[in-house]
């Protein structure tokens, strides 16, 4: 299986998922990018994220490639989360249904790769973090950055060419795929020229400031929402810092030059 076939398989899976699984959530086409498993930035995640952050070789001994993907929600889901300090029901449901989508997508790609003679990981979309530090041992957003999906915003999320209003996932495999070039430019207006800052103003729990991000304050709000939407499943989310912000659906920083070759 080559790069283009993998991109097509992932896109087709996401496109047909609402119909095959009868979800309320709808998604836009995903972005897919690839990192070499031996990219030196993976080792740096032990300093940047956590000393226990995994390496691709911890999942597949002869890992060659990390496939990273971003699955954007349709705009209506983002707009539903504007206003009220607690998450909208549509946002909470989108989180739960996208966790299932990513689990099923990973299982599907794992099987397709197996049919072609390759191994791959099946990593969950979330809930793989340390409960005390709230730090993950496999950060999909940092992995997405390494693979060239985008760059970080002031809100600590990855902004892609299709924005940040969606979910990230990644798959480690021993199939060799040519890596995607990493952008060497800003995707956040504040980081580019000090403007915007809307994500900070929208944070209901003062977890996000220009000085930094208090993940414990953030998680408090996420747990409030989880209690509210317990009947739907585990929705420990908030997302107010993504609601109708300039980086929600696109990279708001205009640049000259070409887009990466991603679908
Ligand atoms: S809302 Fe504005 S300041 Fe915050 S991450 Fe997006 S572009 Fe940057
Ligand atoms: S998810 Fe909510 S609480 Fe956390 S930083 Fe964003 S707006 Fe603040």
């Amino acid at each position: 299986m080559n790069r283009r076939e993998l991109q097509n398989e992932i896109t087709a899976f996401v496109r047909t998922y609402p119909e095959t699984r009868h979800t309320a959530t709808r998604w836009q086409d995903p972005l897919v990018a690839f990192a070499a498993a031996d990219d030196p930035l993976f080792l740096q995640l032990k300093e940047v994220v956590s000393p226990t952050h995994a390496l691709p070789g911890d999942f597949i001994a002869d890992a060659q490639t990390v496939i990273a993907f971003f699955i954007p929600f349709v705009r209506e889901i983002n707009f539903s989360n504007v206003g009220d300090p607690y998450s909208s029901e549509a946002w909470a449901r989108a989180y739960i249904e996208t966790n299932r989508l990513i689990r099923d997508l990973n299982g599907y790609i794992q099987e397709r790769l197996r049919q072609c003679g390759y191994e791959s990981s099946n990593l969950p979309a979330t809930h793989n973090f340390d409960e005390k530090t709230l730090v993950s041992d496999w950060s999909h957003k940092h992995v997405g950055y390494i693979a060239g999906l985008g760059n970080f915003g002031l809100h600590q999320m990855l902004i892609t060419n299709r924005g940040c209003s969606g979910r990230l996932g990644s798959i480690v495999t021993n199939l060799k795929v040519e890596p995607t070039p990493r952008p060497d430019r800003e995707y956040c207006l504040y980081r580019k020229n000090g403007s915007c800052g809307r994500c900070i103003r929208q944070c209901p729990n003062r977890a996000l400031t220009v000085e930094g991000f208090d993940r414990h304050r953030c998680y408090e709000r996420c747990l409030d929402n989880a209690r509210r939407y317990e009947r739907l499943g585990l929705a420990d989310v908030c997302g107010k810092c993504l609601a109708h912000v300039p980086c929600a659906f696109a990279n708001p920083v205009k640049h000259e030059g070409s887009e990466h070759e991603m679908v």
Side-chain angles (χ1 to χ4, degrees):
M1 193 182 291
N2 63 31
R3 172 194 179 104
R4 179 58 62 184
E5 285 166 340
L6 266 172
Q7 289 171 327
N8 289 345
E9 292 268 4
I10 292 171
T11 302
F13 190 92
V14 173
R15 277 184 188 167
T16 54
Y17 195 78
E19 200 179 328
T20 56
R21 298 302 294 267
H22 308 291
T23 60
T25 304
R26 296 288 183 271
W27 297 271
Q28 300 181 60
D29 280 353
L31 286 174
V32 186
F34 304 90
D38 62 357
D39 191 310
L41 285 192
F42 282 113
L43 204 52
Q44 285 186 26
L45 297 185
K46 289 188 179 291
E47 288 165 34
V48 175
V49 181
S50 149
T52 55
H53 197 281
L55 295 171
D58 295 331
F59 300 109
I60 306 279
D62 58 342
Q64 297 288 326
T65 303
V66 181
I67 307 163
F69 52 84
F70 173 69
I71 307 176
F73 303 136
V74 293
R75 289 177 178 230
E76 292 74 15
I77 292 173
N78 182 286
F79 295 153
S80 77
N81 205 29
V82 174
D84 188 278
Y86 294 96
S87 288
S88 69
E89 183 164 326
W91 186 264
R93 185 177 279 110
Y95 175 77
I96 292 167
E97 290 189 333
T98 313
N99 284 343
R100 284 190 206 127
L101 160 62
I102 291 175
R103 179 199 62 197
D104 294 347
L105 171 63
N106 287 355
Y108 172 74
I109 294 297
Q110 189 174 47
E111 178 56 21
R112 291 290 294 116
L113 285 166
R114 193 192 61 73
Q115 289 165 358
C116 300
Y118 299 99
E119 281 182 64
S120 64
S121 63
N122 194 339
L123 298 161
T126 185
H127 304 133
N128 57 342
F129 52 79
D130 181 292
E131 289 192 357
K132 281 207 180 92
T133 62
L134 303 179
V135 173
S136 167
D137 278 347
W138 184 255
S139 164
H140 295 292
K141 66 182 176 184
H142 286 87
V143 169
Y145 169 77
I146 294 173
L149 275 179
N151 208 340
F152 288 94
L154 184 57
H155 52 17
Q156 315 274 321
M157 307 300 287
L158 197 68
I159 303 172
T160 72
N161 286 332
R162 292 190 189 148
C164 56
S165 179
R167 302 292 305 285
L168 292 153
S170 48
I171 299 169
V172 181
T173 176
N174 57 1
L175 168 70
K176 197 168 177 61
V177 180
E178 190 195 338
T180 311
R182 211 162 18 246
D184 58 353
R185 53 184 204 256
E186 293 297 350
Y187 279 53
C188 164
L189 293 166
Y190 183 87
R191 290 184 190 269
K192 174 74 178 173
N193 57 24
S195 67
C196 187
R198 197 157 148 186
C199 48
I200 283 179
R201 291 195 297 279
Q202 291 183 184
C203 178
N205 218 24
R206 298 189 316 281
L208 201 58
T209 62
V210 172
E211 288 71 44
F213 172 60
D214 183 333
R215 66 182 69 245
H216 292 274
R217 289 191 85 102
C218 176
Y219 199 53
E220 267 170 32
R221 177 50 53 116
C222 295
L223 290 179
D224 288 342
N225 287 318
R227 282 186 283 275
R228 266 178 179 235
Y229 294 112
E230 207 172 356
R231 69 195 145 81
L232 302 177
L234 179 54
D236 47 348
V237 275
C238 166
K240 294 292 163 179
C241 48
L242 313 183
H244 211 341
V245 291
C247 58
F249 311 115
N251 170 6
V253 181
K254 302 279 178 255
H255 293 279
E256 291 173 10
S258 59
E259 301 282 284
H260 296 155
E261 196 219 327
M262 288 187 283
V263 294

